Amino acid sequence: MAINYRYRHQFGNSPEGTSHRMSMDTTAGWTIESAAEVLLTAEATRSDRHPITDDWPDLDLDTAYQVQAALLARKVAQGERIIGVKLGLTSRAKQQRMGISSPLTAWLTDGMVLEAGVPIPTAELIHPRVEPEIVFVLGEKLQGPGITAATAMAAVRSVHAGLEVIDSRFTDFKFTLPDVVADNASSSRFVIGSVAYQPDDIDLAQEACLLSVDGTVVDSATGAAVQGHPAEALALAANALAERGLALEAGSIVLTGGMTDAVFVEPGQQIVAEFTHLGNVTVVGA
Ligand code: 0L1
Ligand code: MG
């Protein structure tokens, strides 16, 4: 799949730049930079930790998105490229499991791409879980505010099945909304299926997915689980990013959010998402 990534001119070295980022010291002694550093260290050392909000209870959503931006800026400084956006907590299954009812946005980098057939490097991760998603690749830039599901779909070049591997830096995947926003929505890896549909050629609300582990179906959902229609999730992302002065670039990959609850993956396990039209996507734990 040929995908163009055009974030550099918009974002420079980080998704949201550095100019407006606060360098405040909180009463708890935390800063945006120190929170980003703690999360990146947890990822690099495979060590889960308690929520940042336990120590920094005043961490609000705006500041959490600045922590997320600082974290991404560090990944970019280390050579990763931003290639798209992922939504989190867009389905009731995910919201109920995590106890959080607000969707959120986060970023995808090329370091998160898991090529088809490459096993999930479980030894490098804390407690990986896998969830099926409907994925868009944009043919045009998409900039809010005022984006509707229809205008969002007009910007889509192709639709795919996907599996996201999430790996929260917080113990037992227990966090508040600001924690998970700061943690870039538990991002770890993702794989996109090879089947591509034109947006007009598929009814995404009706598109069904069976999720199986080692041949046993453990969950199922249709695209309607994602905000009623995955295009609503795409519109939500464009409008939410616009509030922070950002847009989705042409060529972006957009993960619209887990359709079902995520399942843990152990070494040797095979997880398959079988979609009605979008084909099968398979991952194996290394
Ligand atoms: O797709 C998703 O809903 C990801 C949510 C990220 C938060 C999590 O479940 O750890
Ligand atoms: Mg996800």
Side-chain angles (χ1 to χ4, degrees), residues 16-36:
E16 310 192 25
T18 53
S19 55
H20 68 293
R21 199 181 301 151
M22 293 182 286
S23 59
M24 66 181 185
D25 284 310
T26 66
T27 46
W30 285 82
T31 65
I32 287 160
E33 293 298 334
S34 69

Side-chain angles (χ1 to χ4, degrees), residues 11-122:
F11 296 140
N13 236 16
S14 82
E16 310 192 25
T18 53
S19 55
H20 68 293
R21 199 181 301 151
M22 293 182 286
S23 59
M24 66 181 185
D25 284 310
T26 66
T27 46
W30 285 82
T31 65
I32 287 160
E33 293 298 334
S34 69
E37 181 65 35
V38 157
L39 289 167
L40 283 173
T41 301
E43 181 177 358
T45 59
R46 294 188 64 212
S47 37
D48 53 313
R49 52 157 294 120
H50 58 273
I52 291 173
T53 52
D54 283 2
D55 300 334
W56 186 1
D58 298 337
L59 177 64
D60 61 21
L61 206 47
D62 283 350
T63 311
Y65 274 110
Q66 292 182 63
V67 174
Q68 187 194 88
L71 186 150
L72 263 290
R74 286 167 185 244
K75 285 184 182 277
V76 169
Q78 288 162 11
E80 292 186 41
R81 260 179 328 125
I82 293 166
I83 59 172
V85 163
K86 70 181 213 118
L87 287 115
L89 308 179
T90 50
S91 68
R92 191 165 303 151
K94 290 288 307 186
Q95 292 179 353
Q96 282 177 341
R97 162 65 75 166
M98 308 325 290
I100 297 173
S101 56
S102 302
L104 66 148
T105 62
W107 300 97
L108 300 172
T109 74
D110 59 348
M112 301 172 191
V113 173
L114 195 63
E115 298 296 346
V118 174
I120 299 168
T122 50

Side-chain angles (χ1 to χ4, degrees), residues 131 133 164 258:
E131 56 194 21
E133 307 223 1
E164 184 182 16

Side-chain angles (χ1 to χ4, degrees), residues 86-90 94 130-133 163-166 185-187 189-190 255-260 262:
K86 70 181 213 118
L87 287 115
L89 308 179
T90 50
K94 290 288 307 186
V130 178
E131 56 194 21
E133 307 223 1
L163 282 171
E164 184 182 16
V165 182
I166 52 174
S186 312
S187 63
R189 302 288 193 281
F190 67 94
L255 268 57
T256 57
M259 301 164 71
T260 67

Side-chain angles (χ1 to χ4, degrees), residues 166-278:
I166 52 174
D167 195 31
S168 175
R169 268 51 71 174
F170 301 118
T171 305
D172 296 334
F173 278 81
K174 295 266 188 295
F175 41 66
T176 67
L177 181 59
D179 289 306
V180 66
V181 165
D183 190 29
N184 200 43
S186 312
S187 63
S188 180
R189 302 288 193 281
F190 67 94
V191 58
I192 303 179
S194 56
V195 175
Y197 263 73
Q198 301 294 306
D200 287 344
D201 293 345
I202 185 164
D203 181 348
L204 285 178
Q206 299 280 354
E207 181 69 6
C209 168
L210 296 179
L211 185 68
S212 62
V213 179
D214 289 339
T216 302
V217 174
V218 294
D219 214 337
S220 64
T222 64
V226 178
Q227 301 287 294
H229 192 292
E232 297 284 357
L234 178 58
L236 189 158
N239 292 327
L241 290 174
E243 287 175 16
R244 310 204 305 276
L246 301 169
L248 283 155
E249 294 298 319
S252 295
I253 299 171
V254 181
L255 268 57
T256 57
M259 301 164 71
T260 67
D261 191 13
V263 292
F264 283 108
V265 56
E266 305 290 344
Q269 275 185 331
Q270 183 186 62
I271 297 176
V272 181
E274 187 183 344
F275 285 76
T276 326
H277 299 91
L278 294 172

